[in-house]
Amino acid sequence: MSQDPDQAKKLQELLKLLSLSNGDTSKLTVQQRKKFEEYKFWRTQPVARFDEKVDNEGPIDSSRTPADIPSEPYPLLKEFEWCTVDITNPQELEDVFVLLNENYVEDQDATFRFNYTREFFNWSLKPPGWHKEWHVGVRIRDSGRLVAFISAIPVTLKVRGKEVKSVEINFLCIHKKLRAKRLTPILIKEITRRVNKCDIWQALYTAGVVLPSPIAVCRYAHRPLNWSKLHEVGFTALPANASKTQMIAKYTLPKGTDTPGLRAMKYEDVDQVFDLFNAYQDRFDLVQVFTKEEFKHWFLGADTVIYSYVVETEGKITDFVSFYSLPFTVLNNPMYKELGIGYLFYYASDADLGFDDRFDPAATSTLKKRLNHLISDVCIIARDLKMDVFNAMSCQDNTLFLDDLKFGPGDGFLNFYLFNYKAFPISGGLTDDNSFDVKNRSNVGVVML
Ligand SMILES: CCCCCCCCCCCCCC(=O)SCCNC(=O)CCNC(=O)[C@H](O)C(C)(C)COP(=O)(O)OP(=O)(O)OC[C@H]1O[C@@H](n2cnc3c(N)ncnc32)[C@H](O)[C@@H]1OP(=O)(O)O
């Protein structure tokens, strides 16, 4: 790859964007954070200070009821107006994905963009119990143009065994031209108001940026499925000591899957998979509790977005795995229009369910073997669906297979936050030097889109 300064800068941005670092952690910077007092907005919110000692887990402020919450939206500058985005209306849905596709994440040279689709939004923003009022937008009063968005969906969390009625906040986005104008705090206060009005006081959210205060930190990992294409579009560099042929050989997967009984999940499987899934999730300290209806939505609710598979042996389902698709559009490239990207979502296996302790060496070894096999097959399925890279995080039991299956640690970290809830830290699957913690794994059992 040529290394003129522009090219090098671009490459660096791209690596940051998808965090494909080929396992090179030497350039990792320690995440910078301000002092708590310098977070002008966050210091006013019910969140823990950095390194605050937690005595008891639970709500920070539980003094209010919906009647104490204002009925009117927060004031905005007169050029702007609030809107509730009706994503069942094709034009309004279009407004959201134009905003996100153009402003959510993009490298500076406008070479790549997330290619959010209608199907993706219908799946991610309309789970059972969704509220229209929780799809909050800001429009320019004169033109009606949507320039900011934030969303909440209802979820039930379980934090170390305690159920917490919450929302998940996602897709916060402000048009590039309106950045650094303190619109974010207003959007957050407005969505908080709308959620509080429904008598919900806690939220889960994730961000790459460090805010007060993460309860867990996970790291991205990337498994190239089509190394030549990733290289050709400038996503991944050729290491100095390797040839292209060697890199292609390194990442070549077997021709077909080889787990007997592996097949796409069907509606008829839901009862069995639901029980297996709940039994498996029980091991983690932070999970989302799904109703059966939610389970169907999240795992079977959107063709071409969510892919779910099971392993069935003599009528019994022993394993379940799912991943979702969120491609990048490649702009201005003569050869490629799109990069296919798969994201590991939830999975479950009965491999170690017979053990009392998941860290028992025999339990670890049996689950590790099973997961390596299963996820390797999932990578093959993803490759056959024309995905070019497969992403996973260091959460769940993923550290048991990430290194073995050639997932390279990314430059990106994801911080997990709870709003208005104090909790002891939860391990995110990382050691002190930020490599994957194979021994202790992670106790984060929630996967955020
Ligand atoms: C009970 C119900 C509760 C519901 C609410 C729960 C909380 C939900 C919280 C939201 C969860 C979102 C989950 C996701 O969707 S994370 C995804 C975030 N989106 C993107 O990265 C897309 C591209 N970026 C943008 O659109 C903008 O850069 C954003 C909107 C991110 C910031 O725009 P801008 O750069 O123009 O900033 P500002 O001048 O308006 O505002 C500056 C203030 O905002 C604080 N800031 C910056 N980034 C984030 C961030 N990602 N979460 C929370 N706070 C953030 C910052 O520390 C500062 O506060 P303080 O340092 O002075 O204190």
Side-chain angles (χ1 to χ4, degrees), residues 34 38-43 103-105 150 167 169-174 178-185 188 191-192 195-196 200-203 205-207 209 211 419:
K34 304 185 272 193
E38 289 168 329
Y39 287 86
K40 283 204 198 80
F41 167 65
W42 281 106
R43 72 182 180 201
N103 299 278
Y104 202 59
V105 181
I150 190 167
V167 291
I169 304 289
N170 211 335
F171 305 115
L172 162 64
C173 185
I174 293 177
L178 293 174
R179 297 274 169 88
K181 297 189 189 309
R182 315 286 311 171
L183 193 50
T184 303
I188 294 174
I191 196 133
T192 304
V195 170
N196 285 168
I200 296 178
W201 307 89
Q202 271 72 40
Y205 49 104
T206 51
V209 292
L211 307 165
F419 184 88

Short mmCIF file of all heavy atoms in Angstrom, two decimals, residues 34 38-43 103-105 150 167 169-174 178-185 188 191-192 195-196 200-203 205-207 209 211 419, ligand 1:
data_model
loop_
_atom_site.label_atom_id
_atom_site.label_comp_id
_atom_site.label_asym_id
_atom_site.label_seq_id
_atom_site.Cartn_x
_atom_site.Cartn_y
_atom_site.Cartn_z
N LYS A 34 -12.05 13.26 30.81
CA LYS A 34 -11.93 14.50 31.58
C LYS A 34 -12.15 14.16 33.05
O LYS A 34 -12.57 13.07 33.39
CB LYS A 34 -13.02 15.48 31.15
CG LYS A 34 -13.03 15.80 29.68
CD LYS A 34 -14.06 16.88 29.35
CE LYS A 34 -15.44 16.33 29.07
NZ LYS A 34 -16.38 17.28 28.47
N GLU A 38 -15.53 18.29 34.96
CA GLU A 38 -15.47 18.95 33.64
C GLU A 38 -16.57 18.48 32.70
O GLU A 38 -16.74 19.04 31.62
CB GLU A 38 -14.10 18.69 33.00
CG GLU A 38 -13.01 19.47 33.70
CD GLU A 38 -11.59 19.03 33.30
OE1 GLU A 38 -11.40 17.85 32.99
OE2 GLU A 38 -10.72 19.89 33.32
N TYR A 39 -17.29 17.44 33.07
CA TYR A 39 -18.43 17.02 32.26
C TYR A 39 -19.61 17.90 32.65
O TYR A 39 -20.38 17.57 33.56
CB TYR A 39 -18.77 15.54 32.53
CG TYR A 39 -17.79 14.57 31.93
CD1 TYR A 39 -16.64 14.19 32.61
CD2 TYR A 39 -18.02 14.02 30.67
CE1 TYR A 39 -15.73 13.30 32.05
CE2 TYR A 39 -17.12 13.12 30.11
CZ TYR A 39 -15.98 12.78 30.81
OH TYR A 39 -15.09 11.89 30.26
N LYS A 40 -19.72 19.04 31.95
CA LYS A 40 -20.72 20.05 32.36
C LYS A 40 -22.13 19.50 32.39
O LYS A 40 -22.94 19.90 33.23
CB LYS A 40 -20.68 21.22 31.37
CG LYS A 40 -19.53 22.14 31.56
CD LYS A 40 -19.91 23.51 30.98
CE LYS A 40 -18.70 24.38 30.73
NZ LYS A 40 -17.99 24.05 29.48
N PHE A 41 -22.44 18.64 31.44
CA PHE A 41 -23.78 18.06 31.44
C PHE A 41 -23.84 16.82 32.33
O PHE A 41 -24.67 16.74 33.24
CB PHE A 41 -24.20 17.70 30.01
CG PHE A 41 -25.41 16.82 29.95
CD1 PHE A 41 -26.65 17.28 30.40
CD2 PHE A 41 -25.34 15.50 29.49
CE1 PHE A 41 -27.78 16.46 30.38
CE2 PHE A 41 -26.46 14.69 29.46
CZ PHE A 41 -27.67 15.17 29.91
N TRP A 42 -22.94 15.91 32.11
CA TRP A 42 -23.05 14.61 32.80
C TRP A 42 -22.93 14.73 34.31
O TRP A 42 -23.48 13.94 35.05
CB TRP A 42 -22.07 13.59 32.20
CG TRP A 42 -22.63 13.03 30.93
CD1 TRP A 42 -22.22 13.31 29.66
CD2 TRP A 42 -23.76 12.16 30.82
NE1 TRP A 42 -23.02 12.64 28.74
CE2 TRP A 42 -23.97 11.94 29.44
CE3 TRP A 42 -24.61 11.54 31.73
CZ2 TRP A 42 -25.00 11.12 28.96
CZ3 TRP A 42 -25.64 10.73 31.25
CH2 TRP A 42 -25.82 10.53 29.88
N ARG A 43 -22.22 15.77 34.78
CA ARG A 43 -22.08 15.91 36.24
C ARG A 43 -23.41 16.28 36.90
O ARG A 43 -23.55 16.20 38.11
CB ARG A 43 -21.00 16.94 36.57
CG ARG A 43 -21.41 18.35 36.28
CD ARG A 43 -20.30 19.35 36.57
NE ARG A 43 -20.81 20.69 36.26
CZ ARG A 43 -20.07 21.74 36.02
NH1 ARG A 43 -18.76 21.66 36.04
NH2 ARG A 43 -20.62 22.90 35.74
N ASN A 103 -24.55 11.02 8.52
CA ASN A 103 -23.90 11.67 9.66
C ASN A 103 -23.50 10.76 10.80
O ASN A 103 -22.86 11.20 11.75
CB ASN A 103 -24.83 12.75 10.25
CG ASN A 103 -25.14 13.83 9.24
OD1 ASN A 103 -24.36 14.74 9.04
ND2 ASN A 103 -26.29 13.70 8.57
N TYR A 104 -23.91 9.49 10.77
CA TYR A 104 -23.68 8.66 11.96
C TYR A 104 -22.20 8.34 12.12
O TYR A 104 -21.57 8.79 13.06
CB TYR A 104 -24.52 7.38 11.91
CG TYR A 104 -24.75 6.78 13.29
CD1 TYR A 104 -25.37 7.51 14.29
CD2 TYR A 104 -24.34 5.50 13.60
CE1 TYR A 104 -25.58 6.99 15.55
CE2 TYR A 104 -24.55 4.96 14.86
CZ TYR A 104 -25.16 5.71 15.83
OH TYR A 104 -25.37 5.18 17.08
N VAL A 105 -21.66 7.57 11.21
CA VAL A 105 -20.22 7.34 11.26
C VAL A 105 -19.71 7.36 9.82
O VAL A 105 -20.27 6.74 8.96
CB VAL A 105 -19.86 5.98 11.88
CG1 VAL A 105 -18.35 5.80 11.92
CG2 VAL A 105 -20.43 5.84 13.27
N ILE A 150 -32.64 10.76 18.37
CA ILE A 150 -32.26 9.87 19.47
C ILE A 150 -33.44 8.91 19.69
O ILE A 150 -34.60 9.29 19.47
CB ILE A 150 -31.90 10.64 20.76
CG1 ILE A 150 -31.26 9.71 21.81
CG2 ILE A 150 -33.11 11.38 21.35
CD1 ILE A 150 -30.59 10.44 22.97
N VAL A 167 -34.96 1.33 29.49
CA VAL A 167 -34.95 1.51 28.04
C VAL A 167 -33.51 1.33 27.57
O VAL A 167 -32.58 1.43 28.36
CB VAL A 167 -35.46 2.91 27.61
CG1 VAL A 167 -36.94 3.06 27.86
CG2 VAL A 167 -34.65 4.03 28.27
N ILE A 169 -31.00 3.12 24.90
CA ILE A 169 -30.89 4.33 24.08
C ILE A 169 -29.90 4.06 22.96
O ILE A 169 -28.83 3.50 23.19
CB ILE A 169 -30.38 5.53 24.93
CG1 ILE A 169 -31.27 5.77 26.14
CG2 ILE A 169 -30.25 6.78 24.07
CD1 ILE A 169 -32.63 6.32 25.85
N ASN A 170 -30.28 4.47 21.75
CA ASN A 170 -29.40 4.22 20.61
C ASN A 170 -29.64 5.26 19.51
O ASN A 170 -30.60 6.03 19.57
CB ASN A 170 -29.66 2.81 20.07
CG ASN A 170 -28.41 2.19 19.48
OD1 ASN A 170 -27.49 2.90 19.05
ND2 ASN A 170 -28.37 0.88 19.45
N PHE A 171 -28.77 5.25 18.53
CA PHE A 171 -28.89 6.09 17.33
C PHE A 171 -28.94 7.59 17.64
O PHE A 171 -29.62 8.34 16.93
CB PHE A 171 -30.10 5.67 16.48
CG PHE A 171 -30.08 4.21 16.11
CD1 PHE A 171 -31.05 3.35 16.58
CD2 PHE A 171 -29.06 3.71 15.32
CE1 PHE A 171 -31.02 2.00 16.25
CE2 PHE A 171 -29.02 2.36 14.99
CZ PHE A 171 -30.00 1.50 15.45
N LEU A 172 -28.24 8.01 18.68
CA LEU A 172 -28.09 9.44 18.91
C LEU A 172 -27.25 9.99 17.76
O LEU A 172 -26.16 9.49 17.49
CB LEU A 172 -27.35 9.66 20.25
CG LEU A 172 -26.72 11.03 20.46
CD1 LEU A 172 -27.79 12.12 20.50
CD2 LEU A 172 -25.91 11.05 21.77
N CYS A 173 -27.79 10.98 17.09
CA CYS A 173 -27.05 11.52 15.94
C CYS A 173 -27.41 12.98 15.72
O CYS A 173 -28.58 13.36 15.72
CB CYS A 173 -27.41 10.71 14.69
SG CYS A 173 -26.45 11.21 13.26
N ILE A 174 -26.38 13.78 15.52
CA ILE A 174 -26.59 15.21 15.23
C ILE A 174 -25.90 15.50 13.91
O ILE A 174 -24.77 15.05 13.67
CB ILE A 174 -26.00 16.08 16.37
CG1 ILE A 174 -26.81 15.85 17.65
CG2 ILE A 174 -25.97 17.55 15.98
CD1 ILE A 174 -26.31 16.58 18.86
N LEU A 178 -24.15 20.81 12.92
CA LEU A 178 -24.66 21.30 14.21
C LEU A 178 -23.92 20.70 15.40
O LEU A 178 -24.42 20.70 16.53
CB LEU A 178 -26.16 20.98 14.32
CG LEU A 178 -27.03 21.74 13.34
CD1 LEU A 178 -28.47 21.25 13.42
CD2 LEU A 178 -26.98 23.23 13.59
N ARG A 179 -22.73 20.24 15.13
CA ARG A 179 -21.95 19.63 16.21
C ARG A 179 -21.37 20.69 17.15
O ARG A 179 -21.20 21.85 16.77
CB ARG A 179 -20.78 18.81 15.63
CG ARG A 179 -21.23 17.65 14.76
CD ARG A 179 -21.51 16.41 15.58
NE ARG A 179 -22.19 15.39 14.75
CZ ARG A 179 -21.57 14.49 14.01
NH1 ARG A 179 -20.25 14.45 13.99
NH2 ARG A 179 -22.27 13.61 13.32
N ALA A 180 -21.04 20.24 18.36
CA ALA A 180 -20.38 21.06 19.39
C ALA A 180 -21.22 22.28 19.78
O ALA A 180 -20.70 23.33 20.13
CB ALA A 180 -18.99 21.49 18.94
N LYS A 181 -22.55 22.17 19.65
CA LYS A 181 -23.43 23.28 20.04
C LYS A 181 -24.29 22.89 21.24
O LYS A 181 -25.32 23.50 21.49
CB LYS A 181 -24.31 23.68 18.85
CG LYS A 181 -23.51 24.20 17.67
CD LYS A 181 -24.44 24.77 16.62
CE LYS A 181 -23.72 25.11 15.32
NZ LYS A 181 -22.53 25.93 15.50
N ARG A 182 -23.90 21.85 21.93
CA ARG A 182 -24.59 21.42 23.15
C ARG A 182 -26.04 20.98 22.90
O ARG A 182 -26.91 21.14 23.76
CB ARG A 182 -24.55 22.50 24.25
CG ARG A 182 -23.23 23.18 24.48
CD ARG A 182 -22.22 22.37 25.17
NE ARG A 182 -22.63 21.69 26.39
CZ ARG A 182 -21.86 20.79 27.00
NH1 ARG A 182 -20.67 20.48 26.51
NH2 ARG A 182 -22.26 20.20 28.09
N LEU A 183 -26.26 20.43 21.71
CA LEU A 183 -27.60 19.91 21.42
C LEU A 183 -27.79 18.53 22.07
O LEU A 183 -28.91 18.14 22.44
CB LEU A 183 -27.77 19.82 19.89
CG LEU A 183 -29.15 19.59 19.32
CD1 LEU A 183 -30.17 20.56 19.89
CD2 LEU A 183 -29.11 19.73 17.79
N THR A 184 -26.68 17.80 22.24
CA THR A 184 -26.78 16.45 22.83
C THR A 184 -27.46 16.47 24.21
O THR A 184 -28.40 15.70 24.44
CB THR A 184 -25.37 15.81 22.92
OG1 THR A 184 -24.82 15.79 21.61
CG2 THR A 184 -25.42 14.41 23.48
N PRO A 185 -27.01 17.33 25.13
CA PRO A 185 -27.68 17.33 26.44
C PRO A 185 -29.18 17.58 26.33
O PRO A 185 -29.97 16.98 27.08
CB PRO A 185 -26.99 18.48 27.18
CG PRO A 185 -25.62 18.54 26.57
CD PRO A 185 -25.83 18.22 25.12
N ILE A 188 -30.86 14.40 25.16
CA ILE A 188 -30.88 13.39 26.24
C ILE A 188 -31.93 13.77 27.29
O ILE A 188 -32.69 12.92 27.76
CB ILE A 188 -29.47 13.23 26.86
CG1 ILE A 188 -28.52 12.64 25.82
CG2 ILE A 188 -29.52 12.36 28.12
CD1 ILE A 188 -27.06 12.55 26.25
N ILE A 191 -35.43 12.98 25.80
CA ILE A 191 -35.82 11.56 25.76
C ILE A 191 -36.00 11.04 27.19
O ILE A 191 -36.89 10.23 27.45
CB ILE A 191 -34.85 10.68 24.93
CG1 ILE A 191 -35.52 9.34 24.62
CG2 ILE A 191 -33.53 10.41 25.61
CD1 ILE A 191 -35.43 8.89 23.23
N THR A 192 -35.22 11.55 28.12
CA THR A 192 -35.39 11.16 29.53
C THR A 192 -36.78 11.57 30.00
O THR A 192 -37.49 10.79 30.65
CB THR A 192 -34.31 11.83 30.42
OG1 THR A 192 -33.02 11.47 29.92
CG2 THR A 192 -34.42 11.37 31.87
N VAL A 195 -39.40 9.24 28.55
CA VAL A 195 -39.34 7.90 29.15
C VAL A 195 -39.84 7.94 30.59
O VAL A 195 -40.62 7.09 31.03
CB VAL A 195 -37.90 7.33 29.04
CG1 VAL A 195 -37.75 6.06 29.86
CG2 VAL A 195 -37.54 7.06 27.58
N ASN A 196 -39.42 8.98 31.32
CA ASN A 196 -39.87 9.13 32.72
C ASN A 196 -41.38 9.27 32.80
O ASN A 196 -42.01 8.76 33.74
CB ASN A 196 -39.24 10.37 33.37
CG ASN A 196 -37.78 10.20 33.73
OD1 ASN A 196 -37.09 11.17 34.04
ND2 ASN A 196 -37.27 8.98 33.69
N ILE A 200 -40.56 5.02 33.69
CA ILE A 200 -39.32 4.24 33.56
C ILE A 200 -38.17 5.19 33.90
O ILE A 200 -38.11 6.32 33.38
CB ILE A 200 -39.16 3.65 32.15
CG1 ILE A 200 -40.31 2.65 31.90
CG2 ILE A 200 -37.81 2.93 32.00
CD1 ILE A 200 -40.31 2.03 30.53
N TRP A 201 -37.24 4.73 34.72
CA TRP A 201 -36.23 5.63 35.32
C TRP A 201 -34.81 5.17 35.09
O TRP A 201 -33.86 5.80 35.55
CB TRP A 201 -36.53 5.77 36.83
CG TRP A 201 -37.95 6.18 37.03
CD1 TRP A 201 -39.03 5.35 37.16
CD2 TRP A 201 -38.47 7.52 37.05
NE1 TRP A 201 -40.19 6.09 37.27
CE2 TRP A 201 -39.87 7.42 37.21
CE3 TRP A 201 -37.88 8.80 36.96
CZ2 TRP A 201 -40.71 8.54 37.27
CZ3 TRP A 201 -38.70 9.91 37.02
CH2 TRP A 201 -40.10 9.77 37.17
N GLN A 202 -34.65 4.04 34.40
CA GLN A 202 -33.30 3.53 34.16
C GLN A 202 -33.08 3.32 32.66
O GLN A 202 -34.05 3.11 31.91
CB GLN A 202 -33.10 2.17 34.87
CG GLN A 202 -32.59 2.27 36.29
CD GLN A 202 -33.62 2.79 37.28
OE1 GLN A 202 -34.80 2.43 37.19
NE2 GLN A 202 -33.21 3.63 38.21
N ALA A 203 -31.83 3.39 32.24
CA ALA A 203 -31.51 3.16 30.83
C ALA A 203 -30.15 2.48 30.69
O ALA A 203 -29.27 2.65 31.54
CB ALA A 203 -31.50 4.48 30.07
N TYR A 205 -27.06 2.16 27.80
CA TYR A 205 -26.55 2.71 26.54
C TYR A 205 -25.07 2.42 26.45
O TYR A 205 -24.41 2.14 27.45
CB TYR A 205 -26.82 4.21 26.42
CG TYR A 205 -26.42 5.04 27.63
CD1 TYR A 205 -25.26 5.83 27.61
CD2 TYR A 205 -27.19 5.03 28.79
CE1 TYR A 205 -24.89 6.58 28.72
CE2 TYR A 205 -26.81 5.76 29.90
CZ TYR A 205 -25.67 6.53 29.87
OH TYR A 205 -25.29 7.25 30.97
N THR A 206 -24.57 2.46 25.22
CA THR A 206 -23.14 2.23 25.02
C THR A 206 -22.59 3.38 24.19
O THR A 206 -23.32 4.02 23.43
CB THR A 206 -22.87 0.92 24.24
OG1 THR A 206 -23.66 0.92 23.06
CG2 THR A 206 -23.16 -0.30 25.07
N ALA A 207 -21.32 3.64 24.34
CA ALA A 207 -20.68 4.68 23.53
C ALA A 207 -19.19 4.41 23.45
O ALA A 207 -18.61 3.81 24.37
CB ALA A 207 -20.94 6.06 24.13
N VAL A 209 -17.14 6.89 23.41
CA VAL A 209 -16.54 7.92 24.26
C VAL A 209 -16.68 7.55 25.74
O VAL A 209 -17.60 6.83 26.13
CB VAL A 209 -17.18 9.32 24.03
CG1 VAL A 209 -16.84 9.85 22.66
CG2 VAL A 209 -18.67 9.29 24.26
N LEU A 211 -17.62 8.46 29.35
CA LEU A 211 -18.51 9.35 30.10
C LEU A 211 -18.52 8.82 31.54
O LEU A 211 -18.14 7.67 31.78
CB LEU A 211 -19.93 9.29 29.51
CG LEU A 211 -20.06 9.54 28.01
CD1 LEU A 211 -21.42 9.09 27.51
CD2 LEU A 211 -19.84 11.03 27.72
N PHE A 419 -27.99 4.33 33.28
CA PHE A 419 -28.45 5.65 33.71
C PHE A 419 -29.29 5.47 34.97
O PHE A 419 -30.18 4.62 35.01
CB PHE A 419 -29.30 6.25 32.59
CG PHE A 419 -29.78 7.66 32.84
CD1 PHE A 419 -29.00 8.75 32.48
CD2 PHE A 419 -31.02 7.90 33.42
CE1 PHE A 419 -29.44 10.05 32.68
CE2 PHE A 419 -31.47 9.19 33.63
CZ PHE A 419 -30.68 10.27 33.26
C1 LIG B 1 -34.51 6.89 32.05
C2 LIG B 1 -34.31 7.23 30.69
C3 LIG B 1 -32.95 7.87 30.44
C4 LIG B 1 -32.65 8.06 28.98
C5 LIG B 1 -31.31 8.73 28.73
C6 LIG B 1 -30.10 7.90 29.13
C7 LIG B 1 -28.78 8.53 28.66
C8 LIG B 1 -28.53 8.35 27.20
C9 LIG B 1 -27.19 8.91 26.78
C10 LIG B 1 -26.98 8.87 25.27
C11 LIG B 1 -26.56 7.51 24.78
C12 LIG B 1 -26.29 7.50 23.31
C13 LIG B 1 -25.92 6.14 22.78
C14 LIG B 1 -25.51 6.29 21.32
O1 LIG B 1 -26.31 6.43 20.46
S1 LIG B 1 -23.82 6.26 21.03
C15 LIG B 1 -23.67 6.80 19.36
C16 LIG B 1 -23.42 8.26 19.31
N1 LIG B 1 -23.52 8.76 17.95
C17 LIG B 1 -22.49 8.96 17.13
O2 LIG B 1 -21.35 8.72 17.46
C18 LIG B 1 -22.85 9.47 15.76
C19 LIG B 1 -21.95 10.58 15.25
N2 LIG B 1 -21.79 11.65 16.24
C20 LIG B 1 -22.73 12.59 16.55
O3 LIG B 1 -23.81 12.63 16.00
C21 LIG B 1 -22.32 13.60 17.61
O4 LIG B 1 -20.92 13.68 17.67
C22 LIG B 1 -22.89 13.29 19.01
C23 LIG B 1 -24.41 13.36 18.98
C24 LIG B 1 -22.44 11.91 19.50
C25 LIG B 1 -22.34 14.32 20.00
O5 LIG B 1 -22.62 15.60 19.54
P1 LIG B 1 -21.63 16.84 19.72
O6 LIG B 1 -20.24 16.36 19.58
O7 LIG B 1 -22.10 17.92 18.84
O8 LIG B 1 -21.76 17.26 21.28
P2 LIG B 1 -22.71 18.40 21.91
O9 LIG B 1 -22.03 19.73 21.85
O10 LIG B 1 -24.06 18.33 21.32
O11 LIG B 1 -22.80 17.92 23.45
C26 LIG B 1 -21.65 17.75 24.22
C27 LIG B 1 -22.02 16.91 25.41
O12 LIG B 1 -22.48 15.62 24.97
C28 LIG B 1 -21.69 14.60 25.55
N3 LIG B 1 -21.59 13.49 24.59
C29 LIG B 1 -20.87 13.42 23.47
N4 LIG B 1 -21.05 12.25 22.86
C30 LIG B 1 -21.91 11.54 23.62
C31 LIG B 1 -22.50 10.26 23.52
N5 LIG B 1 -22.21 9.42 22.51
N6 LIG B 1 -23.37 9.86 24.46
C32 LIG B 1 -23.68 10.66 25.50
N7 LIG B 1 -23.14 11.91 25.67
C33 LIG B 1 -22.27 12.33 24.72
C34 LIG B 1 -20.35 15.25 25.82
O13 LIG B 1 -19.61 14.54 26.79
C35 LIG B 1 -20.80 16.61 26.28
O14 LIG B 1 -21.27 16.54 27.63
P3 LIG B 1 -20.32 17.02 28.87
O15 LIG B 1 -18.98 16.38 28.65
O16 LIG B 1 -20.24 18.52 28.79
O17 LIG B 1 -20.99 16.53 30.12
#
